[in-house]
Amino acid sequence: MNTTHRNWTSILSLLLWIIISTTALATFVPSAVALEYNKEILIGADFSGRDLTDSSFTKANLRSSNFSNSNLSGVRFFAANLESANLRGVNLTNATLDSARLIKADLSNAILEGAFAANAKFDGAIVDGADFTDVLLRPDEQKKLCKLAKGTNPVTGRDTRETLYCP
């Protein structure tokens, strides 16, 4: 009986150690999980201040959503509706904005460095202080943005008009 009791005690101790170790490891090692919101209807959703690195919002309806001060590095907004979205101070480095609708979106102080924005629509967008370094844009959209562009990005120190190659 004494040996059986010790065996059960050892097994329970081992299980308890595994549970505590796993919980402690999960607490100290942050997990970067890319989320998928493809084809979701997220009108007016609040994603402000979040790290959404490499997440996907392909064909999502994000009209009037708030992404202010979020890390959207590598995020896919392919064909997403971002009309009137708050993108102030976001990091869109290497994001995919191809065929996205950014009509009346607020991109003030956003960093779009290396983003792919071919066929994106920026009609009426606010781009004060936005950094468009190495962003692939259609020439007609680039001209529209140059008419609106002003300011310097507070993080990169780059002039918006210069990053858009405005005349």
Side-chain angles (χ1 to χ4, degrees), residues 97-101 116-122 136-138 141:
L97 299 166
D98 189 33
S99 300
R101 292 187 57 197
F116 182 75
N119 296 315
K121 296 285 185 188
F122 291 92
L136 182 60
L137 293 166
R138 282 189 3 206
E141 289 299 316

Side-chain angles (χ1 to χ4, degrees), residues 145-166:
L145 289 171
C146 281
K147 291 178 183 175
L148 308 168
K150 62 182 177 182
T152 301
N153 187 278
V155 176
T156 66
R158 296 180 186 133
D159 180 84
T160 301
R161 294 185 57 77
E162 287 178 16
T163 64
L164 283 165
Y165 300 107
C166 297

Side-chain angles (χ1 to χ4, degrees), residues 8 58 115 125 132 139 152:
W8 277 111
T58 296
F132 285 88
T152 301

Side-chain angles (χ1 to χ4, degrees), residues 48 85-86 91 111 145 153 155:
S48 60
N86 181 352
N91 176 5
I111 301 170
L145 289 171
N153 187 278
V155 176

Side-chain angles (χ1 to χ4, degrees), residues 1-164:
M1 209 54 146
N2 198 8
T3 306
T4 304
H5 180 68
R6 270 188 275 157
N7 287 343
W8 277 111
T9 303
S10 296
I11 291 170
L12 289 174
S13 295
L14 179 63
L15 287 173
L16 184 60
W17 180 82
I18 291 170
I19 291 170
I20 291 171
S21 298
T22 306
T23 305
L25 184 61
T27 304
F28 296 113
V29 178
S31 60
V33 178
L35 304 171
E36 288 198 18
Y37 295 97
N38 299 329
K39 299 181 182 178
E40 297 276 338
I41 298 172
L42 298 163
I43 298 169
D46 186 5
F47 291 98
S48 60
R50 295 196 34 203
D51 184 354
L52 296 165
T53 301
D54 296 326
S55 293
S56 182
F57 292 88
T58 296
K59 296 183 180 178
N61 187 348
L62 298 157
R63 189 178 36 157
S64 301
S65 292
N66 183 6
F67 287 94
S68 61
N69 302 308
S70 289
N71 182 2
L72 305 174
S73 179
V75 169
R76 289 170 303 284
F77 284 115
F78 177 79
N81 180 7
L82 290 157
E83 183 175 348
S84 300
N86 181 352
L87 297 161
R88 293 175 71 85
V90 299
N91 176 5
L92 283 162
T93 303
N94 298 319
T96 301
L97 299 166
D98 189 33
S99 300
R101 292 187 57 197
L102 292 138
I103 297 166
K104 297 180 185 174
D106 186 351
L107 289 154
S108 299
N109 300 325
I111 301 170
L112 294 99
E113 187 170 354
F116 182 75
N119 296 315
K121 296 285 185 188
F122 291 92
D123 298 347
I126 301 166
V127 295
D128 300 353
D131 183 343
F132 285 88
T133 300
D134 299 326
V135 174
L136 182 60
L137 293 166
R138 282 189 3 206
D140 60 324
E141 289 299 316
Q142 185 248 356
K143 285 180 184 178
K144 283 184 210 174
L145 289 171
C146 281
K147 291 178 183 175
L148 308 168
K150 62 182 177 182
T152 301
N153 187 278
V155 176
T156 66
R158 296 180 186 133
D159 180 84
T160 301
R161 294 185 57 77
E162 287 178 16
T163 64
L164 283 165

